[in-house]
Amino acid sequence: GAAAPPPRPEARYLALNFSTPPLVQTKIDKYGRANAANIDVHSAALNAYVAELRDALALARATGRTLLLPPLTCWCDRYWNALQRCRMAEAPREMRLPFACPMDH
């Protein structure tokens, strides 16, 4: 595809850094990072991301800025079929959770 033009000097940006809300941190602490393969942690984190993203999009739009997104943390893999401990059945055992997931995840 075509390369994006360089940023304009007059362009204004708003950078979003996702936080870890207390509810999500409580679930992480409960299940532990070693046993992060839990849909409960993934679901709580996803809900928090969506709420923060909604607010950041509104602020960016209201201020005429371009929103810059940070990496997302996935606590479960994404797959169209059943998952085992939040991983695809074929996933290598060394696949660690959580991981930085792609934006289309």
Side-chain angles (χ1 to χ4, degrees):
R8 299 179 317 270
E10 69 278 3
R12 298 180 343 171
Y13 301 95
L14 175 67
L16 172 61
N17 293 313
F18 288 117
S19 64
T20 303
L23 174 65
V24 176
Q25 188 61 55
T26 299
K27 291 179 183 300
I28 292 167
D29 294 342
K30 177 180 177 184
Y31 297 107
R33 285 191 177 270
N35 187 24
N38 188 289
I39 192 67
D40 199 27
V41 175
H42 183 76
S43 180
L46 180 61
N47 286 334
Y49 291 152
V50 169
E52 286 188 80
L53 180 58
R54 176 203 60 221
D55 294 347
L57 283 169
L59 182 59
R61 184 171 184 184
T63 59
R65 294 176 184 235
T66 299
L67 183 60
L68 304 176
L69 299 177
L72 294 170
T73 300
C74 281
W75 298 89
C76 284
D77 203 1
R78 181 172 183 252
Y79 188 52
W80 60 270
N81 205 345
L83 296 173
Q84 297 175 358
R85 298 191 67 231
C86 282
R87 293 174 178 85
M88 294 186 319
E90 314 69 55
R93 291 197 72 62
E94 58 272 4
M95 177 187 162
R96 299 279 183 221
L97 293 172
F99 61 93
C101 53
M103 285 295 173
D104 66 344
H105 215 56

